[in-house]
Amino acid sequence: MNSTINWKIWLCAVLVSAPLSFAQAGETGGYLGGSVGTAVIDVSIDDGIPGVPAFDEDDFGWKVFAGYNFGITPVFDLGIEGGYTNLGSPSVDIVGISVSLEPTGWTLFGVVGFDIGPVGVFGKYGYFGWDVEGVIGGFSESIDGSDPAYGAGLRFGLGSLEIRGEYEVFDVEDIDDVSMWSVGLAYRF
């Protein structure tokens, strides 16, 4: 009989505290954050010329972001997020010629999230307004444009702080792969 009472008390405690843990996920409000990680850039330079390798490098990348979350239900939210992303300065020697790229850009995403307690997943889709400063054999050139971007991630809430891990793909035209794995923090207010 005593174990039955303990089990019922435990079940009542879980049912009463569950809405409190969901409350953080579905809140409406703004957030600011930053992340660091690894950016990957893969460009096919060879165009079918035998012996000429591709530019396939990675480097330290970072970003800062701000957003606004609309808590639709306690477990589902929609939001908008914008930020600045620096994809590092990868460089390589290709057939004796030094090639380096410095891609940066501004992002604007629509974000969809699903949370169970402090743990959640999110996906985002939007645009990347980019600028690439390139140096090839001592000659520099700058190109820019805007292309689609998308990503997905996991988040873990600790009060008003959130730990985020995410993967983003920047679908830059004429470049095989521009992506970034990152880990960061966001402060919700």
Side-chain angles (χ1 to χ4, degrees), residues 21-29 69-77 115:
S21 65
F22 288 130
Q24 172 183 309
E27 289 182 5
T28 296
N69 188 50
F70 302 94
I72 305 301
T73 70
V75 296
F76 178 71
D77 57 69
D115 298 300

Side-chain angles (χ1 to χ4, degrees), residues 5-31:
I5 291 172
N6 288 339
W7 182 81
K8 289 178 182 178
I9 290 171
W10 180 83
L11 180 60
C12 287
V14 169
L15 293 175
V16 168
S17 66
L20 297 175
S21 65
F22 288 130
Q24 172 183 309
E27 289 182 5
T28 296
Y31 59 92

Side-chain angles (χ1 to χ4, degrees), residues 60-147:
F60 174 79
W62 60 271
K63 67 180 183 168
V64 291
F65 53 88
Y68 194 83
N69 188 50
F70 302 94
I72 305 301
T73 70
V75 296
F76 178 71
D77 57 69
L78 296 175
I80 187 166
E81 181 178 296
Y84 176 79
T85 303
N86 183 312
L87 297 168
S89 302
S91 62
V92 69
D93 283 341
I94 299 176
V95 207
I97 299 172
S98 175
V99 177
S100 66
L101 302 174
E102 293 182 24
T104 61
W106 295 93
T107 58
L108 182 61
F109 291 108
V111 183
V112 175
F114 179 76
D115 298 300
I116 297 177
V119 178
V121 296
F122 63 93
K124 55 189 185 177
Y125 183 82
Y127 283 93
F128 180 52
W130 52 270
D131 180 61
V132 177
E133 299 287 331
V135 178
I136 301 173
F139 298 100
S140 63
E141 185 174 342
S142 176
I143 58 172
D144 58 21
S146 64
D147 287 295

